[in-house]
Amino acid sequence: MVQKAKILLVDDRPENLLALEAILSALDQTLVRASSGEEALKALLTDDFAVILLDVQMPGMDGFETAAHIKRRERTRDIPIIFLTAINHGPHHTFRGYAAGAVDYISKPFDPWVLRAKVSVFVELYMKNCQLREQAALLRLQLEGGGGRAAVGTSKEPAGLLAELSARLAAVEEQAEALSKQLDDESADAAAVATAAHLERKLTGLRRALDALEPGTGSGAPSVPSQN
């Protein structure tokens, strides 16, 4: 069973959180509420999130300050942040949002279809990265076995495990290629396009490492690409 991605919704007004949940429920992912910046940072200590929807105007720690804390933490600095705001003070205000690390800046009232589409892109990218990490973990397990034993916890021979890894990786490659084409067709946000390109580079490195394990490609053990 594929684990659902978590989406963090941060707003001090319960009615706004309820509206976001209604809009994003169609994505069938796990929606987590936070009613303040402090509560959001607490949630980020223990859970991994695909994307954060962050209200700008909140009492106490506002959205900009919350985003600054998120970007300073190594664990959370790469999580995409979409700012939501009910006010518009012009280009300077928008620039401040992007400077704080946001991938997008949406003014209320917003188009529910547009917001859902933007969030779905980052959810898909997150899921592809999770799949890639799983394939890399299996490959590391095979490498640590020295190529002469079956992986721990499975009865498959090395050749059979390599074939299974190759098939799983091919499925992720196909999905990543389709997602990249979708982003190109829709002229998506630069941050989403860059994230997709980074994912494809990691997939290429993993494919090369896997191909190097095939018989007749040399005895040296390849290095597994970093997942950072």
Side-chain angles (χ1 to χ4, degrees), residues 38-155:
E38 292 86 353
E39 190 174 332
L41 294 176
K42 184 177 180 180
L44 288 162
L45 287 174
T46 55
D47 290 326
D48 294 325
F49 292 91
V51 61
I52 302 170
L53 274 63
L54 181 57
D55 183 41
V56 172
Q57 297 296 116
M58 296 187 295
M61 184 184 296
D62 66 13
F64 296 130
E65 188 177 355
T66 302
H69 282 288
I70 293 172
K71 293 304 177 181
R72 280 199 292 265
R73 293 178 179 176
E74 184 176 357
R75 173 188 172 91
T76 59
R77 64 179 55 165
D78 294 325
I79 302 176
I81 298 174
I82 298 177
F83 271 132
L84 304 176
T85 179
I87 60 175
N88 185 3
H89 292 310
H92 176 72
H93 196 258
T94 303
F95 175 78
R96 186 181 175 191
Y98 286 117
V103 297
D104 211 338
Y105 198 99
I106 303 177
S107 297
K108 303 174 185 177
F110 44 77
D111 186 329
W113 293 95
V114 172
L115 180 63
R116 190 183 300 118
K118 289 177 180 290
V119 171
S120 68
V121 168
F122 290 107
V123 169
E124 285 188 66
L125 289 171
Y126 173 82
M127 298 300 284
K128 299 301 180 294
N129 271 295
C130 288
Q131 288 179 300
L132 180 57
R133 285 196 293 269
E134 290 176 2
Q135 311 312 316
L138 287 173
L139 180 55
R140 286 195 185 94
L141 190 59
Q142 173 63 24
L143 293 174
E144 289 168 359
R149 302 190 304 272
V152 176
T154 178
S155 60

Side-chain angles (χ1 to χ4, degrees), residues 9 14-26 31-33:
L9 313 177
E15 62 271 25
N16 290 343
L17 290 172
L18 187 62
L20 287 174
E21 288 177 335
I23 292 170
L24 300 176
S25 61
L31 306 177
V32 179
R33 284 188 176 201

Side-chain angles (χ1 to χ4, degrees), residues 132 135 139 162-174 200-214 222-223 225:
L132 180 57
Q135 311 312 316
L139 180 55
L162 286 176
E164 181 178 336
L165 281 169
S166 182
R168 291 187 183 186
L169 181 57
V172 179
E173 288 171 332
E174 182 178 349
E200 287 193 334
R201 288 194 296 272
K202 292 196 290 185
L203 282 169
T204 299
L206 187 55
R207 171 58 69 184
R208 289 173 179 169
L210 190 59
D211 288 345
L213 289 175
E214 294 292 339
S223 60

Side-chain angles (χ1 to χ4, degrees), residues 25-36:
S25 61
L27 298 179
D28 193 28
Q29 304 300 325
T30 302
L31 306 177
V32 179
R33 284 188 176 201
S35 58
S36 67

